[in-house]
Amino acid sequence: MSAKLWGGRFQSGLDPDAAKFSVSLDFDKVLYPYDIRLNMAHSRALQSVGVLSLSEYETLVAGLLQLRTDMDADLEGLLAQDEDIHSAIERILTARLGDLGKKMHAGKSRNDQVITDVRMFLKDQILEIREAIRALIQALVAVAEAHIEWIFPGLTHFQPGQPVLLSHHMMAYVEQLTRDDVRFQAAYVETDVCPLGSGAMAGNTYGIDRHMVATELGFSQITMNSMDAVSDRDFMLSFCSASAICATHLSRLAEELVLWSSPLIGFVKIGDAFTTGSSIMPQKKNPDIAELVRGKTGRVTGNLVNLLQLMKALPMTYNRDLQEDKPALFDTIETVKTSLRCFAKMIPTLTFQREAIDRALQTGYITATELADYLVRKGFPFREAHEITGKVVLHAETHGVQLTEIGLAEFQEFHHDIAADIYRILSVRDAIEAKNGVGGTATIQVQSQIKRVQENVG
Ligand code: ARG
């Protein structure tokens, strides 16, 4: 263990197992650029209130900049058995600059420091995640645009329901991701608040200009209660909740790609770069990336629950428990970001298979609802129309024919109001174009939705 930050009142060192148990360096080392930047802003604040002289401040900043360069080049080489990244940076700086390295720590605590670092880190990560969402939206919109003519079986209960445009189906995912983006944006706003200056929990005694520090660190606001500031992890909960919802959306898309790409259904082929073979079964082309995205959803949801449990019943203010927030947060960031990026690259490799899709459209009497709607337009109450249509479907099923293969005379046995225009009504194309209200699957509606999204995502 390196020199302790709190040695004075202790007569013995930490038990070796306890020391090992306390270390967070393995995961919090990723915060080093933020911690260095924070130390620079804090030193500036200390200089402006006269705790550091100008030359001391300049020496510290030079030392911190050098440390940043050195850590960028070889982080592992510089780290020792430090407890966390904050103590590592303090240790190295003190070794290089002597007591000046220790002077920098007036007016702050690791309690306000760590959470300021994490907020800075998370803000950058949210921007990357939002960029990945944008890329995935663009990929899905491109598929929608390229397949605007394609008719696809729309399902409820995984049973043929009504025909839709394949583009409409793709755009459904775009809606989900657009809402995800809004949630991540909100999480960003919540994260963009600077706790530095809250000290250990009660504030600082040096008259530090917190607004100046916050602005220097790129924050829009400062926290307003030091006790809440050092113990608040709500912004992480919001981020992890947005992530869990986003991952859940990805799992739904993943599931569909797994099903569609199975030869049992055969609607789509996924590019080689995102599938794998089997060591025993040479015919296999497995959708591993989609499966992994689906599987990793469990981790992301688990991380949210993990954080909620961490926060539950935690008394004011900072408690060491809070150190455990980072593995869950970091894993969430990494998982959601890489899932989104993989999907954004995988979607353009999809090749939809017209024959299999057309074949599927021939099963399940997918336009039966059109007949019911047709009868409603003739003045029937919907329930009655539904009943007649059910009988027609049963008839078709018993005779092994499509609805459009039923003769007009046969149709009229079910009801004399059914006329020759029924054949056009029962075509999948007409069924689609009839759904011409906003949000429906008619081509014009889908095209204008594509256009709206393209204007927004640029
Ligand atoms: N590594 C700690 C964390 O991540 C930093 C704060 C430690 N503060 C303390 N008083 N022990 O939460």
Side-chain angles (χ1 to χ4, degrees), residues 24 28 83-84 86 110-111 114 318 320 322-323 326:
S24 58
D28 66 22
E83 184 187 304
D84 58 22
H86 325 288
R110 282 184 296 160
N111 298 354
V114 66
Y318 179 85
R320 190 62 181 273
L322 291 172
Q323 179 166 293
K326 283 173 280 301

Side-chain angles (χ1 to χ4, degrees), residues 29-219:
K29 61 189 174 194
V30 297
L31 297 174
Y32 81 86
Y34 301 93
D35 204 63
I36 291 176
R37 192 169 156 205
L38 178 150
N39 277 313
M40 294 204 283
H42 185 68
S43 301
R44 170 110 192 266
L46 289 180
Q47 186 263 317
S48 65
V49 295
V51 174
L52 294 173
S53 72
L54 187 59
S55 78
E56 283 176 323
Y57 164 66
E58 283 168 356
T59 310
L60 268 172
V61 168
L64 285 162
L65 285 172
Q66 185 58 48
L67 185 58
R68 172 68 205 257
T69 310
D70 297 344
M71 285 190 151
D72 285 349
D74 181 19
L75 180 64
E76 297 303 327
L78 285 162
L79 299 176
Q81 285 178 305
D82 303 290
E83 184 187 304
D84 58 22
I85 191 63
H86 325 288
S87 26
I89 286 174
E90 182 175 343
R91 173 184 59 78
I92 301 166
L93 215 61
T94 306
R96 291 179 176 187
L97 305 179
D99 277 353
L100 188 53
K102 298 181 186 167
K103 259 186 137 172
M104 182 176 79
H105 297 285
K108 70 178 166 68
S109 150
R110 282 184 296 160
N111 298 354
D112 60 348
Q113 189 168 342
V114 66
I115 203 58
T116 306
D117 286 354
V118 170
R119 282 177 183 266
M120 285 193 280
F121 173 80
L122 183 57
K123 278 172 62 186
D124 284 350
Q125 294 297 321
I126 293 176
L127 294 180
E128 285 187 26
I129 286 172
R130 292 191 63 202
E131 196 47 52
I133 289 182
R134 212 169 98 119
L136 179 53
I137 288 178
Q138 281 168 335
L140 289 164
V141 170
V143 173
E145 217 180 8
H147 296 79
I148 193 69
E149 306 273 322
W150 289 49
I151 296 174
F152 201 67
L155 314 182
T156 59
H157 313 265
F158 209 69
Q159 308 277 324
Q162 294 179 307
V164 291
L165 291 185
L166 172 57
S167 309
H168 197 48
H169 196 132
M170 290 295 123
M171 293 303 286
Y173 283 107
V174 170
E175 289 294 304
Q176 298 182 355
L177 289 161
T178 305
R179 291 193 296 273
D180 289 328
D181 191 47
V182 171
R183 272 184 282 269
F184 281 116
Q185 193 176 7
Y188 184 94
V189 172
E190 206 180 329
T191 306
D192 187 19
V193 187
C194 184
L196 200 64
S198 301
M201 54 89 88
N204 76 84
T205 48
Y206 294 87
I208 284 171
D209 181 348
R210 292 191 56 212
H211 284 288
M212 186 192 89
V213 175
T215 306
E216 189 134 332
L217 294 177
F219 285 103

